[in-house]
Amino acid sequence: MALSDWALSDFTGGGFTRPVYRRGQGPAVIVIHEIPGLHPQVIDFGERLVDAGMSVFMPSLFGTPGKAVTKGYAIRSMLGNICIRREFSVWKDGRSSPIVDWLRALARHAHGTCGGPGVGAVGMCFTGGFALAMMTEPAVVAPVLAQPSMPIRGAKAGSIDVSPAEMACAKRRLVDEDLTVLGLRYKGDPFVPDARFARLSAELEDRFEAVALEPEDAKPDTGMTPHSVLTIHLPTSGPGKDAEVRTIGFFRKRLGLA
């Protein structure tokens, strides 16, 4: 499905203005793309959420919307854009990115537009932790962390890109509102070490649903170490397919569709 089939508009909030693609009917889900940008496999995932009865909002935060993934494109996206832009914090533990304020504003807007019990949000890779930090916005009731890969420093010690205040708010809401956080990764992924999921499990306890896929379940012939659970390396069959099934089911349950 081409992006030309999605409605495009600019959204302003939290000190930033960014383009957002929207499609579908029903309660809202914000799909926050991975490196290198809003590529075709992210769009395909958004389409599957639309087919499952949701209104999908896909912001473009970096890269060229619709451009296919290549190794060179991914490297340029990381080194030439993301690491030096003020809206992202990629190095330090216990600190979320400034763009999360914009995403919270988008969640409020999406909830006001689409209604329902709240909004779902999924971050991927570079943006994987954003969905947890977004929980300071009351509209966000279904956060999914797909291969959360930031911050860079302290990854093997369990660093996360969420501030102590944001974590405290999330923990309080998870208990008070009977919510959970879904986390997805491939075992052995060097960008999402065991310690990061262990930290999330220690912080969120039984409110964190961790899904760790076996590398051999990954979609074959990509020439890359398995990493992108819901997009580039999405398993099309076998036990690994459960990651997407669980994600869509998680959104449907929390958003009142199940």
Side-chain angles (χ1 to χ4, degrees):
M1 184 67 69
L3 275 175
S4 58
D5 296 310
W6 292 66
L8 173 62
S9 62
D10 285 339
F11 178 76
T12 299
F16 300 98
T17 299
R18 294 290 181 272
V20 179
Y21 293 86
R22 180 186 171 187
R23 184 175 172 86
Q25 302 293 324
V29 173
I30 299 173
V31 176
I32 316 164
H33 64 77
E34 59 200 353
I35 290 172
L38 187 53
H39 61 76
Q41 289 96 330
V42 176
I43 299 166
D44 290 344
F45 174 69
E47 285 291 342
R48 290 190 287 275
L49 293 178
V50 169
D51 292 342
M54 300 165 221
S55 296
V56 177
F57 292 72
M58 297 192 305
S60 178
L61 302 184
F62 45 82
T64 303
K67 184 175 179 177
V69 177
T70 65
K71 185 177 291 187
Y73 178 30
I75 292 172
R76 289 192 300 272
S77 181
M78 172 60 84
L79 299 181
N81 286 316
I82 299 166
C83 289
I84 60 174
R85 286 169 54 175
R86 68 183 180 90
E87 62 263 50
F88 303 112
S89 299
V90 303
W91 299 105
K92 193 174 182 181
D93 178 49
R95 178 181 177 185
S96 64
S97 291
I99 195 66
V100 171
D101 285 339
W102 180 87
L103 289 165
R104 294 182 186 115
L106 179 62
R108 286 193 298 274
H109 167 75
H111 189 213
T113 300
C114 299
V119 173
V122 53
M124 303 175 176
C125 179
F126 180 86
T127 70
F130 290 6
L132 180 57
M134 288 171 67
M135 286 196 73
T136 58
E137 166 50 50
V140 178
V141 298
V144 176
L145 284 57
Q147 72 273 2
S149 304
M150 295 294 134
I152 295 172
R153 287 184 184 144
K156 292 183 178 180
S159 60
I160 55 175
D161 55 348
V162 178
S163 73
E166 289 164 339
M167 179 61 79
C169 178
K171 291 162 77 169
R172 183 170 58 251
R173 288 193 60 207
L174 291 172
V175 174
D176 291 349
E177 301 172 41
D178 193 21
L179 303 176
T180 55
V181 176
L182 182 61
L184 311 166
R185 70 177 184 119
Y186 276 103
K187 293 179 181 178
D189 183 348
F191 296 105
V192 196
D194 293 347
R196 180 162 288 147
F197 264 39
R199 166 85 177 276
L200 290 167
S201 293
E203 293 275 6
L204 304 176
E205 300 180 330
D206 60 351
R207 298 288 169 171
F208 182 59
E209 302 178 33
V211 177
L213 304 185
E214 298 293 343
E216 54 266 29
D217 289 339
K219 183 179 177 180
D221 302 324
T222 62
M224 303 168 67
T225 301
H227 174 64
S228 298
V229 177
L230 297 172
T231 59
I232 299 170
H233 305 118
L234 171 72
T236 54
S237 61
K241 181 65 176 174
D242 182 58
E244 183 183 81
V245 172
R246 283 190 64 173
T247 299
I248 293 176
F250 179 78
F251 284 143
R252 286 183 56 83
K253 178 182 178 180
R254 292 298 177 194
L255 301 180
L257 294 172

mmCIF file of all heavy atoms in Angstrom, residues 81-129:
data_model
loop_
_atom_site.group_PDB
_atom_site.id
_atom_site.type_symbol
_atom_site.label_atom_id
_atom_site.label_comp_id
_atom_site.label_asym_id
_atom_site.label_seq_id
_atom_site.Cartn_x
_atom_site.Cartn_y
_atom_site.Cartn_z
ATOM 1 N N ASN A 81 21.834 12.448 10.663
ATOM 2 C CA ASN A 81 20.652 13.163 11.132
ATOM 3 C C ASN A 81 20.438 13.030 12.628
ATOM 4 O O ASN A 81 20.481 14.002 13.370
ATOM 5 C CB ASN A 81 19.389 12.629 10.415
ATOM 6 C CG ASN A 81 19.305 13.087 8.981
ATOM 7 O OD1 ASN A 81 19.552 14.238 8.691
ATOM 8 N ND2 ASN A 81 18.951 12.183 8.086
ATOM 9 N N ILE A 82 20.240 11.806 13.068
ATOM 10 C CA ILE A 82 19.663 11.566 14.378
ATOM 11 C C ILE A 82 20.584 11.974 15.519
ATOM 12 O O ILE A 82 20.160 12.611 16.484
ATOM 13 C CB ILE A 82 19.274 10.081 14.501
ATOM 14 C CG1 ILE A 82 18.221 9.759 13.433
ATOM 15 C CG2 ILE A 82 18.737 9.767 15.871
ATOM 16 C CD1 ILE A 82 18.004 8.280 13.227
ATOM 17 N N CYS A 83 21.843 11.595 15.440
ATOM 18 C CA CYS A 83 22.742 11.796 16.578
ATOM 19 C C CYS A 83 23.036 13.259 16.868
ATOM 20 O O CYS A 83 23.557 13.578 17.938
ATOM 21 C CB CYS A 83 24.049 11.039 16.334
ATOM 22 S SG CYS A 83 23.847 9.239 16.451
ATOM 23 N N ILE A 84 22.741 14.145 15.931
ATOM 24 C CA ILE A 84 23.075 15.547 16.138
ATOM 25 C C ILE A 84 21.842 16.437 16.217
ATOM 26 O O ILE A 84 21.978 17.656 16.357
ATOM 27 C CB ILE A 84 24.010 16.057 15.020
ATOM 28 C CG1 ILE A 84 23.347 15.922 13.644
ATOM 29 C CG2 ILE A 84 25.339 15.316 15.050
ATOM 30 C CD1 ILE A 84 24.155 16.541 12.514
ATOM 31 N N ARG A 85 20.648 15.870 16.160
ATOM 32 C CA ARG A 85 19.443 16.682 16.173
ATOM 33 C C ARG A 85 18.928 16.855 17.596
ATOM 34 O O ARG A 85 18.922 15.917 18.392
ATOM 35 C CB ARG A 85 18.375 16.053 15.272
ATOM 36 C CG ARG A 85 18.689 16.252 13.793
ATOM 37 C CD ARG A 85 17.820 15.426 12.878
ATOM 38 N NE ARG A 85 16.403 15.639 13.128
ATOM 39 C CZ ARG A 85 15.446 15.082 12.380
ATOM 40 N NH1 ARG A 85 15.762 14.317 11.350
ATOM 41 N NH2 ARG A 85 14.180 15.289 12.654
ATOM 42 N N ARG A 86 18.467 18.061 17.892
ATOM 43 C CA ARG A 86 18.144 18.417 19.265
ATOM 44 C C ARG A 86 16.919 17.695 19.810
ATOM 45 O O ARG A 86 16.747 17.609 21.036
ATOM 46 C CB ARG A 86 17.921 19.934 19.361
ATOM 47 C CG ARG A 86 16.678 20.438 18.639
ATOM 48 C CD ARG A 86 16.566 21.957 18.728
ATOM 49 N NE ARG A 86 15.380 22.468 18.044
ATOM 50 C CZ ARG A 86 14.199 22.632 18.623
ATOM 51 N NH1 ARG A 86 14.052 22.336 19.906
ATOM 52 N NH2 ARG A 86 13.169 23.095 17.945
ATOM 53 N N GLU A 87 16.075 17.162 18.945
ATOM 54 C CA GLU A 87 14.866 16.510 19.447
ATOM 55 C C GLU A 87 15.084 15.088 19.936
ATOM 56 O O GLU A 87 14.164 14.442 20.437
ATOM 57 C CB GLU A 87 13.757 16.531 18.391
ATOM 58 C CG GLU A 87 14.059 15.797 17.099
ATOM 59 C CD GLU A 87 14.552 16.714 15.997
ATOM 60 O OE1 GLU A 87 15.481 17.498 16.271
ATOM 61 O OE2 GLU A 87 14.020 16.634 14.882
ATOM 62 N N PHE A 88 16.332 14.588 19.796
ATOM 63 C CA PHE A 88 16.624 13.221 20.222
ATOM 64 C C PHE A 88 17.757 13.197 21.241
ATOM 65 O O PHE A 88 18.757 13.893 21.096
ATOM 66 C CB PHE A 88 17.007 12.357 19.020
ATOM 67 C CG PHE A 88 15.962 12.316 17.941
ATOM 68 C CD1 PHE A 88 16.192 12.914 16.709
ATOM 69 C CD2 PHE A 88 14.748 11.692 18.162
ATOM 70 C CE1 PHE A 88 15.229 12.888 15.719
ATOM 71 C CE2 PHE A 88 13.774 11.664 17.176
ATOM 72 C CZ PHE A 88 14.013 12.266 15.955
ATOM 73 N N SER A 89 17.579 12.352 22.269
ATOM 74 C CA SER A 89 18.630 12.102 23.251
ATOM 75 C C SER A 89 19.022 10.638 23.124
ATOM 76 O O SER A 89 18.222 9.757 23.456
ATOM 77 C CB SER A 89 18.129 12.384 24.671
ATOM 78 O OG SER A 89 17.741 13.740 24.809
ATOM 79 N N VAL A 90 20.229 10.375 22.628
ATOM 80 C CA VAL A 90 20.587 9.001 22.283
ATOM 81 C C VAL A 90 21.662 8.406 23.180
ATOM 82 O O VAL A 90 21.950 7.210 23.081
ATOM 83 C CB VAL A 90 21.054 8.905 20.809
ATOM 84 C CG1 VAL A 90 19.988 9.432 19.881
ATOM 85 C CG2 VAL A 90 22.367 9.657 20.591
ATOM 86 N N TRP A 91 22.264 9.193 24.060
ATOM 87 C CA TRP A 91 23.429 8.720 24.782
ATOM 88 C C TRP A 91 23.179 8.393 26.241
ATOM 89 O O TRP A 91 23.778 7.476 26.781
ATOM 90 C CB TRP A 91 24.547 9.774 24.700
ATOM 91 C CG TRP A 91 24.997 10.048 23.308
ATOM 92 C CD1 TRP A 91 24.701 11.151 22.555
ATOM 93 C CD2 TRP A 91 25.807 9.211 22.475
ATOM 94 N NE1 TRP A 91 25.273 11.043 21.317
ATOM 95 C CE2 TRP A 91 25.968 9.869 21.234
ATOM 96 C CE3 TRP A 91 26.417 7.977 22.664
ATOM 97 C CZ2 TRP A 91 26.708 9.329 20.192
ATOM 98 C CZ3 TRP A 91 27.154 7.427 21.625
ATOM 99 C CH2 TRP A 91 27.295 8.100 20.406
ATOM 100 N N LYS A 92 22.334 9.125 26.918
ATOM 101 C CA LYS A 92 22.326 9.120 28.379
ATOM 102 C C LYS A 92 21.180 8.307 28.971
ATOM 103 O O LYS A 92 20.034 8.407 28.523
ATOM 104 C CB LYS A 92 22.251 10.561 28.876
ATOM 105 C CG LYS A 92 22.536 10.732 30.358
ATOM 106 C CD LYS A 92 22.593 12.211 30.713
ATOM 107 C CE LYS A 92 22.923 12.403 32.189
ATOM 108 N NZ LYS A 92 22.973 13.834 32.565
ATOM 109 N N ASP A 93 21.498 7.536 30.000
ATOM 110 C CA ASP A 93 20.494 6.774 30.746
ATOM 111 C C ASP A 93 19.587 7.719 31.527
ATOM 112 O O ASP A 93 20.000 8.786 31.985
ATOM 113 C CB ASP A 93 21.206 5.826 31.717
ATOM 114 C CG ASP A 93 20.235 5.028 32.578
ATOM 115 O OD1 ASP A 93 19.297 4.449 32.016
ATOM 116 O OD2 ASP A 93 20.412 5.008 33.811
ATOM 117 N N GLY A 94 18.314 7.325 31.666
ATOM 118 C CA GLY A 94 17.398 8.077 32.508
ATOM 119 C C GLY A 94 16.946 9.397 31.939
ATOM 120 O O GLY A 94 16.560 10.305 32.687
ATOM 121 N N ARG A 95 16.928 9.490 30.610
ATOM 122 C CA ARG A 95 16.518 10.743 29.978
ATOM 123 C C ARG A 95 15.774 10.432 28.692
ATOM 124 O O ARG A 95 16.284 9.720 27.827
ATOM 125 C CB ARG A 95 17.749 11.602 29.676
ATOM 126 C CG ARG A 95 17.455 12.915 28.982
ATOM 127 C CD ARG A 95 18.738 13.664 28.717
ATOM 128 N NE ARG A 95 18.511 14.909 27.996
ATOM 129 C CZ ARG A 95 19.459 15.706 27.548
ATOM 130 N NH1 ARG A 95 20.733 15.394 27.767
ATOM 131 N NH2 ARG A 95 19.170 16.808 26.904
ATOM 132 N N SER A 96 14.563 10.959 28.544
ATOM 133 C CA SER A 96 13.805 10.739 27.313
ATOM 134 C C SER A 96 14.134 11.836 26.301
ATOM 135 O O SER A 96 14.755 12.848 26.625
ATOM 136 C CB SER A 96 12.301 10.720 27.599
ATOM 137 O OG SER A 96 11.860 11.975 28.082
ATOM 138 N N SER A 97 13.722 11.625 25.067
ATOM 139 C CA SER A 97 13.995 12.589 23.999
ATOM 140 C C SER A 97 12.965 13.713 23.999
ATOM 141 O O SER A 97 11.776 13.486 24.261
ATOM 142 C CB SER A 97 13.962 11.881 22.639
ATOM 143 O OG SER A 97 15.061 11.010 22.491
ATOM 144 N N PRO A 98 13.387 14.946 23.680
ATOM 145 C CA PRO A 98 12.439 16.058 23.621
ATOM 146 C C PRO A 98 11.254 15.824 22.684
ATOM 147 O O PRO A 98 10.162 16.337 22.933
ATOM 148 C CB PRO A 98 13.317 17.224 23.132
ATOM 149 C CG PRO A 98 14.680 16.897 23.644
ATOM 150 C CD PRO A 98 14.790 15.403 23.532
ATOM 151 N N ILE A 99 11.451 15.033 21.610
ATOM 152 C CA ILE A 99 10.357 14.789 20.667
ATOM 153 C C ILE A 99 9.208 14.044 21.322
ATOM 154 O O ILE A 99 8.074 14.053 20.819
ATOM 155 C CB ILE A 99 10.878 14.000 19.434
ATOM 156 C CG1 ILE A 99 9.872 14.060 18.269
ATOM 157 C CG2 ILE A 99 11.190 12.564 19.806
ATOM 158 C CD1 ILE A 99 9.684 15.421 17.684
ATOM 159 N N VAL A 100 9.452 13.417 22.474
ATOM 160 C CA VAL A 100 8.368 12.712 23.165
ATOM 161 C C VAL A 100 7.269 13.682 23.571
ATOM 162 O O VAL A 100 6.088 13.318 23.606
ATOM 163 C CB VAL A 100 8.918 11.931 24.378
ATOM 164 C CG1 VAL A 100 7.777 11.370 25.232
ATOM 165 C CG2 VAL A 100 9.815 10.793 23.905
ATOM 166 N N ASP A 101 7.603 14.942 23.876
ATOM 167 C CA ASP A 101 6.568 15.934 24.181
ATOM 168 C C ASP A 101 5.623 16.101 22.996
ATOM 169 O O ASP A 101 4.409 16.233 23.167
ATOM 170 C CB ASP A 101 7.205 17.282 24.531
ATOM 171 C CG ASP A 101 7.818 17.307 25.917
ATOM 172 O OD1 ASP A 101 7.422 16.474 26.751
ATOM 173 O OD2 ASP A 101 8.707 18.138 26.149
ATOM 174 N N TRP A 102 6.188 16.116 21.795
ATOM 175 C CA TRP A 102 5.363 16.212 20.577
ATOM 176 C C TRP A 102 4.484 14.970 20.425
ATOM 177 O O TRP A 102 3.306 15.066 20.067
ATOM 178 C CB TRP A 102 6.278 16.388 19.365
ATOM 179 C CG TRP A 102 5.554 16.509 18.061
ATOM 180 C CD1 TRP A 102 5.065 17.654 17.484
ATOM 181 C CD2 TRP A 102 5.248 15.449 17.136
ATOM 182 N NE1 TRP A 102 4.470 17.373 16.276
ATOM 183 C CE2 TRP A 102 4.570 16.023 16.044
ATOM 184 C CE3 TRP A 102 5.479 14.076 17.145
ATOM 185 C CZ2 TRP A 102 4.124 15.268 14.964
ATOM 186 C CZ3 TRP A 102 5.037 13.315 16.070
ATOM 187 C CH2 TRP A 102 4.367 13.907 14.991
ATOM 188 N N LEU A 103 5.041 13.804 20.698
ATOM 189 C CA LEU A 103 4.274 12.564 20.587
ATOM 190 C C LEU A 103 3.138 12.520 21.607
ATOM 191 O O LEU A 103 2.049 12.013 21.308
ATOM 192 C CB LEU A 103 5.201 11.369 20.766
ATOM 193 C CG LEU A 103 6.175 11.123 19.612
ATOM 194 C CD1 LEU A 103 7.281 10.157 20.042
ATOM 195 C CD2 LEU A 103 5.438 10.586 18.379
ATOM 196 N N ARG A 104 3.371 13.037 22.798
ATOM 197 C CA ARG A 104 2.285 13.104 23.787
ATOM 198 C C ARG A 104 1.160 14.007 23.281
ATOM 199 O O ARG A 104 -0.031 13.688 23.436
ATOM 200 C CB ARG A 104 2.821 13.621 25.122
ATOM 201 C CG ARG A 104 3.804 12.701 25.823
ATOM 202 C CD ARG A 104 4.230 13.306 27.156
ATOM 203 N NE ARG A 104 5.262 12.531 27.803
ATOM 204 C CZ ARG A 104 6.502 12.944 28.030
ATOM 205 N NH1 ARG A 104 6.882 14.164 27.658
ATOM 206 N NH2 ARG A 104 7.382 12.163 28.629
ATOM 207 N N ALA A 105 1.530 15.139 22.693
ATOM 208 C CA ALA A 105 0.520 16.038 22.144
ATOM 209 C C ALA A 105 -0.244 15.365 21.008
ATOM 210 O O ALA A 105 -1.469 15.518 20.885
ATOM 211 C CB ALA A 105 1.185 17.332 21.653
ATOM 212 N N LEU A 106 0.465 14.604 20.178
ATOM 213 C CA LEU A 106 -0.197 13.867 19.099
ATOM 214 C C LEU A 106 -1.160 12.828 19.672
ATOM 215 O O LEU A 106 -2.264 12.635 19.139
ATOM 216 C CB LEU A 106 0.848 13.200 18.209
ATOM 217 C CG LEU A 106 0.304 12.359 17.040
ATOM 218 C CD1 LEU A 106 -0.491 13.233 16.068
ATOM 219 C CD2 LEU A 106 1.449 11.651 16.314
ATOM 220 N N ALA A 107 -0.781 12.168 20.757
ATOM 221 C CA ALA A 107 -1.669 11.190 21.390
ATOM 222 C C ALA A 107 -2.941 11.855 21.901
ATOM 223 O O ALA A 107 -4.048 11.310 21.748
ATOM 224 C CB ALA A 107 -0.941 10.478 22.529
ATOM 225 N N ARG A 108 -2.801 13.030 22.526
ATOM 226 C CA ARG A 108 -3.996 13.751 22.997
ATOM 227 C C ARG A 108 -4.904 14.096 21.831
ATOM 228 O O ARG A 108 -6.132 13.938 21.899
ATOM 229 C CB ARG A 108 -3.582 15.040 23.722
ATOM 230 C CG ARG A 108 -3.005 14.826 25.096
ATOM 231 C CD ARG A 108 -2.917 16.123 25.884
ATOM 232 N NE ARG A 108 -2.039 17.105 25.272
ATOM 233 C CZ ARG A 108 -0.721 17.158 25.458
ATOM 234 N NH1 ARG A 108 -0.118 16.263 26.226
ATOM 235 N NH2 ARG A 108 -0.002 18.100 24.880
ATOM 236 N N HIS A 109 -4.297 14.573 20.743
ATOM 237 C CA HIS A 109 -5.071 14.925 19.551
ATOM 238 C C HIS A 109 -5.761 13.701 18.964
ATOM 239 O O HIS A 109 -6.950 13.746 18.610
ATOM 240 C CB HIS A 109 -4.134 15.559 18.514
ATOM 241 C CG HIS A 109 -4.727 15.674 17.150
ATOM 242 N ND1 HIS A 109 -5.677 16.623 16.830
ATOM 243 C CD2 HIS A 109 -4.504 14.944 16.014
ATOM 244 C CE1 HIS A 109 -6.012 16.483 15.555
ATOM 245 N NE2 HIS A 109 -5.326 15.469 15.042
ATOM 246 N N ALA A 110 -5.032 12.605 18.842
ATOM 247 C CA ALA A 110 -5.594 11.392 18.251
ATOM 248 C C ALA A 110 -6.749 10.858 19.091
ATOM 249 O O ALA A 110 -7.780 10.425 18.551
ATOM 250 C CB ALA A 110 -4.504 10.328 18.118
ATOM 251 N N HIS A 111 -6.601 10.905 20.410
ATOM 252 C CA HIS A 111 -7.681 10.436 21.275
ATOM 253 C C HIS A 111 -8.909 11.327 21.138
ATOM 254 O O HIS A 111 -10.043 10.834 21.052
ATOM 255 C CB HIS A 111 -7.206 10.404 22.731
ATOM 256 C CG HIS A 111 -8.180 9.745 23.657
ATOM 257 N ND1 HIS A 111 -8.338 10.148 24.963
ATOM 258 C CD2 HIS A 111 -9.046 8.717 23.473
ATOM 259 C CE1 HIS A 111 -9.252 9.394 25.538
ATOM 260 N NE2 HIS A 111 -9.703 8.518 24.663
ATOM 261 N N GLY A 112 -8.682 12.636 21.112
ATOM 262 C CA GLY A 112 -9.797 13.552 20.957
ATOM 263 C C GLY A 112 -10.500 13.387 19.624
ATOM 264 O O GLY A 112 -11.718 13.566 19.520
ATOM 265 N N THR A 113 -9.758 13.008 18.591
ATOM 266 C CA THR A 113 -10.324 12.841 17.262
ATOM 267 C C THR A 113 -11.039 11.502 17.105
ATOM 268 O O THR A 113 -12.111 11.431 16.504
ATOM 269 C CB THR A 113 -9.206 12.936 16.199
ATOM 270 O OG1 THR A 113 -8.585 14.222 16.286
ATOM 271 C CG2 THR A 113 -9.756 12.740 14.795
ATOM 272 N N CYS A 114 -10.436 10.444 17.652
ATOM 273 C CA CYS A 114 -10.933 9.086 17.393
ATOM 274 C C CYS A 114 -11.758 8.510 18.528
ATOM 275 O O CYS A 114 -12.479 7.523 18.321
ATOM 276 C CB CYS A 114 -9.752 8.161 17.110
ATOM 277 S SG CYS A 114 -8.771 8.640 15.677
ATOM 278 N N GLY A 115 -11.656 9.065 19.731
ATOM 279 C CA GLY A 115 -12.403 8.554 20.863
ATOM 280 C C GLY A 115 -11.877 7.230 21.351
ATOM 281 O O GLY A 115 -10.712 6.877 21.157
ATOM 282 N N GLY A 116 -12.739 6.464 21.996
ATOM 283 C CA GLY A 116 -12.340 5.179 22.554
ATOM 284 C C GLY A 116 -11.724 5.321 23.927
ATOM 285 O O GLY A 116 -11.592 6.431 24.457
ATOM 286 N N PRO A 117 -11.307 4.207 24.519
ATOM 287 C CA PRO A 117 -10.760 4.247 25.876
ATOM 288 C C PRO A 117 -9.380 4.869 25.968
ATOM 289 O O PRO A 117 -8.917 5.184 27.072
ATOM 290 C CB PRO A 117 -10.710 2.764 26.279
ATOM 291 C CG PRO A 117 -10.656 2.025 24.989
ATOM 292 C CD PRO A 117 -11.451 2.831 24.012
ATOM 293 N N GLY A 118 -8.699 5.031 24.851
ATOM 294 C CA GLY A 118 -7.359 5.605 24.867
ATOM 295 C C GLY A 118 -6.652 5.371 23.554
ATOM 296 O O GLY A 118 -7.266 5.053 22.536
ATOM 297 N N VAL A 119 -5.324 5.522 23.601
ATOM 298 C CA VAL A 119 -4.487 5.450 22.404
ATOM 299 C C VAL A 119 -3.402 4.392 22.617
ATOM 300 O O VAL A 119 -2.845 4.274 23.712
ATOM 301 C CB VAL A 119 -3.829 6.823 22.134
ATOM 302 C CG1 VAL A 119 -2.809 6.748 21.007
ATOM 303 C CG2 VAL A 119 -4.902 7.857 21.813
ATOM 304 N N GLY A 120 -3.108 3.646 21.567
ATOM 305 C CA GLY A 120 -1.966 2.752 21.574
ATOM 306 C C GLY A 120 -0.763 3.445 20.964
ATOM 307 O O GLY A 120 -0.904 4.374 20.171
ATOM 308 N N ALA A 121 0.436 3.005 21.327
ATOM 309 C CA ALA A 121 1.660 3.571 20.759
ATOM 310 C C ALA A 121 2.704 2.477 20.673
ATOM 311 O O ALA A 121 2.890 1.713 21.623
ATOM 312 C CB ALA A 121 2.179 4.728 21.606
ATOM 313 N N VAL A 122 3.382 2.398 19.535
ATOM 314 C CA VAL A 122 4.476 1.452 19.376
ATOM 315 C C VAL A 122 5.695 2.189 18.853
ATOM 316 O O VAL A 122 5.635 2.887 17.841
ATOM 317 C CB VAL A 122 4.097 0.282 18.433
ATOM 318 C CG1 VAL A 122 3.557 0.760 17.098
ATOM 319 C CG2 VAL A 122 5.286 -0.661 18.235
ATOM 320 N N GLY A 123 6.797 2.085 19.600
ATOM 321 C CA GLY A 123 8.079 2.598 19.140
ATOM 322 C C GLY A 123 8.930 1.449 18.665
ATOM 323 O O GLY A 123 8.785 0.315 19.124
ATOM 324 N N MET A 124 9.832 1.743 17.729
ATOM 325 C CA MET A 124 10.641 0.701 17.110
ATOM 326 C C MET A 124 12.104 1.110 17.094
ATOM 327 O O MET A 124 12.431 2.206 16.617
ATOM 328 C CB MET A 124 10.183 0.448 15.672
ATOM 329 C CG MET A 124 8.733 0.069 15.502
ATOM 330 S SD MET A 124 8.300 -0.064 13.743
ATOM 331 C CE MET A 124 6.598 -0.633 13.862
ATOM 332 N N CYS A 125 12.975 0.230 17.611
ATOM 333 C CA CYS A 125 14.419 0.435 17.517
ATOM 334 C C CYS A 125 14.814 1.744 18.196
ATOM 335 O O CYS A 125 14.652 1.912 19.383
ATOM 336 C CB CYS A 125 14.862 0.380 16.054
ATOM 337 S SG CYS A 125 16.627 0.648 15.763
ATOM 338 N N PHE A 126 15.304 2.708 17.436
ATOM 339 C CA PHE A 126 15.717 4.005 17.962
ATOM 340 C C PHE A 126 14.612 4.659 18.783
ATOM 341 O O PHE A 126 14.864 5.318 19.789
ATOM 342 C CB PHE A 126 16.116 4.894 16.781
ATOM 343 C CG PHE A 126 16.571 6.266 17.159
ATOM 344 C CD1 PHE A 126 17.901 6.502 17.503
ATOM 345 C CD2 PHE A 126 15.689 7.332 17.168
ATOM 346 C CE1 PHE A 126 18.324 7.777 17.848
ATOM 347 C CE2 PHE A 126 16.111 8.607 17.515
ATOM 348 C CZ PHE A 126 17.437 8.821 17.851
ATOM 349 N N THR A 127 13.361 4.472 18.365
ATOM 350 C CA THR A 127 12.211 5.077 19.043
ATOM 351 C C THR A 127 11.513 4.107 19.991
ATOM 352 O O THR A 127 10.455 4.427 20.530
ATOM 353 C CB THR A 127 11.181 5.597 18.024
ATOM 354 O OG1 THR A 127 10.541 4.481 17.368
ATOM 355 C CG2 THR A 127 11.838 6.483 16.972
ATOM 356 N N GLY A 128 12.099 2.920 20.215
ATOM 357 C CA GLY A 128 11.416 1.873 20.966
ATOM 358 C C GLY A 128 10.982 2.272 22.353
ATOM 359 O O GLY A 128 9.905 1.884 22.813
ATOM 360 N N GLY A 129 11.795 3.057 23.059
ATOM 361 C CA GLY A 129 11.447 3.461 24.414
ATOM 362 C C GLY A 129 10.473 4.616 24.495
ATOM 363 O O GLY A 129 9.961 4.919 25.582
#
